[in-house]
Amino acid sequence: MSNYPDVRLRRLRRTPSLRRMFDAPMPGPGKFIWPVFVVEGKRQRQKIAAMPGQYRCSVDTLLKELRPVAKSGIGGILIFGLVENSQKDGAGSAAHDDRGAVQQAVRAVHREYPDLVIFTDVCLCAYTTHGHCGPLTADGDVDNDSANEMLAKTAVSHAAAGADGVAPSAMMDGQVRAIRSALSSDGFHQTLLMSYSTKFASSMYGPFREAEQSAPQKGDRRGYQASYGNARLALRESALDEAEGADILMVKPSLFYLDIIARLRESTDLPLAVYNVSGEYSMLIAAADRGWGVLRDMVRESSMALVRAGTDLLISYW
């Protein structure tokens, strides 16, 4: 029942000062994690056509790119690695090479920016010849348990290099348990485990797959990534990862899944991260380039939507 004219809600938003007083604050840089792409070599800064403003960098270049970012007070980075085709095999063995680009980047960033929190993506798709997230069985399916063994080795190699946290993204059943067990066995009891716990088989990964050169050579990933048509099963993924020892849960993508973020927030006390993915990033840039919106305003509004839904940490290219 309306109490107008005595109640006038416009009083609460009449001036910029009043709006600042009553609005929730925008998340500061300390709540953001920047995904970065690392390649081997020196003085590499390769443009990613589908992701304007983002680059594949060699370790030396990454250290330079991070200077203004670290100075801004950003919370951390999430490192992805790439290898030459000649280094790929059916199992993704190069992912746990101690001399790999990710491992080298972790050591270098840790030395140069000791206060920056370093997460690493733990997956195999960029290291396999077929582009799937684990070794394949004879009938072409991903071998879940063999993949877990490789993921665990990769996570341990990242922790040994000095990563603060590892982030498994392969969506294999039991991957969190396998990684937590391997980390503990090797003495890495303090390493954070940020699970891509509800990662959907989404149409929004195209620019990322160009950046990582990790598209499947045959088939797709719908057999192991969550279906956007089954919310209950998607939420069970996160519940299981929490039970297996995850320290942080994650929903990916973000903007199309605000309902999932809100429901997950209500069901867990773990920190909740969201991945504001490449397609969402490039989509806003494309809209702004066509004059369909002001980029800064769209970025702020969409980021606030994620916070309202219950997000603690924003993995974002912004």
Side-chain angles (χ1 to χ4, degrees):
M1 181 175 179
S2 174
N3 293 312
Y4 175 84
D6 293 325
V7 175
R8 295 174 181 264
L9 296 185
R10 287 180 57 188
R11 293 175 188 142
L12 295 168
R13 55 179 182 261
R14 181 175 56 84
T15 68
S17 297
L18 285 169
R19 292 193 293 274
R20 282 194 298 272
M21 180 176 290
F22 294 113
D23 286 357
M26 286 294 297
K31 298 294 186 182
F32 281 82
I33 298 170
W34 183 35
V36 296
F37 302 96
V38 181
V39 297
E40 296 177 340
K42 298 285 187 182
R43 296 185 294 278
Q44 296 294 313
R45 191 174 188 262
Q46 305 167 3
K47 287 185 178 180
I48 303 170
M51 298 176 66
Q54 306 300 315
Y55 300 86
R56 303 183 199 92
C57 296
S58 53
V59 174
D60 58 329
T61 304
L62 175 63
L63 295 178
K64 297 176 183 177
E65 296 281 307
L66 281 174
R67 283 177 191 150
V69 178
K71 189 176 291 187
S72 77
I74 195 172
I77 59 172
L78 175 59
I79 302 177
F80 294 86
L82 291 86
V83 295
E84 299 293 334
N85 288 336
S86 60
Q87 296 175 265
K88 298 181 180 183
D89 61 22
S93 304
H96 60 79
D97 184 349
D98 182 58
R99 299 161 298 176
V102 171
Q103 289 83 349
Q104 292 184 46
V106 169
R107 288 189 285 266
V109 173
H110 187 66
R111 286 193 302 268
E112 190 82 10
Y113 305 101
D115 294 329
L116 195 63
V117 178
I118 303 171
F119 289 97
T120 58
D121 180 77
V122 178
C123 198
L124 304 172
C125 57
Y127 300 89
T128 57
T129 50
H130 45 74
H132 281 283
C133 299
L136 301 182
T137 62
D139 61 2
D141 192 16
V142 175
D143 186 331
N144 189 97
D145 296 356
S146 294
N148 283 344
E149 292 179 16
M150 297 297 294
L151 293 167
K153 289 180 180 180
T154 301
V156 168
S157 76
H158 293 174
D164 297 292
V166 294
S169 61
M171 288 294 285
M172 295 294 113
D173 291 333
Q175 64 180 14
V176 170
R177 184 185 300 278
I179 291 170
R180 176 59 74 199
S181 177
L183 289 171
S184 296
S185 294
D186 282 72
F188 298 111
H189 302 289
Q190 300 302 323
T191 303
L192 288 166
L193 205 163
M194 177 170 66
S195 174
Y196 290 66
S197 55
T198 299
K199 177 181 177 181
F200 289 92
S202 173
S203 60
M204 302 302 289
Y205 301 148
F208 174 90
R209 288 176 181 169
E210 176 185 317
E212 267 285 273
Q213 301 172 355
S214 61
Q217 298 299 306
K218 184 178 180 181
D220 54 42
R221 296 177 180 143
R222 295 178 185 176
Y224 45 100
Q225 293 179 353
S227 171
Y228 58 74
N230 193 332
R232 290 175 183 170
L233 187 57
L235 290 167
R236 285 182 67 192
E237 297 278 2
S238 283
L240 286 170
D241 282 6
E242 180 170 359
E244 290 179 12
D247 297 297
I248 306 165
L249 302 178
M250 185 202 302
V251 175
K252 176 185 180 181
S254 60
L255 295 178
F256 290 0
Y257 297 95
L258 297 176
D259 59 323
I260 302 296
I261 296 169
R263 289 173 65 178
L264 186 55
R265 176 73 288 160
E266 291 176 357
S267 67
T268 183
D269 290 325
L270 291 189
L272 180 56
V274 301
Y275 199 140
N276 192 197
V277 300
S278 61
E280 297 166 332
Y281 170 83
S282 298
M283 179 172 61
L284 293 191
I285 290 176
D289 286 347
R290 291 187 171 224
W292 292 346
V294 177
L295 183 60
R296 181 177 183 276
D297 293 343
M298 291 190 290
V299 171
R300 291 174 65 85
E301 185 175 347
S302 60
S303 298
M304 180 56 77
L306 299 174
V307 174
R308 284 201 319 269
T311 298
D312 297 303
L313 302 171
L314 295 96
I315 303 168
S316 174
Y317 301 98
W318 300 121

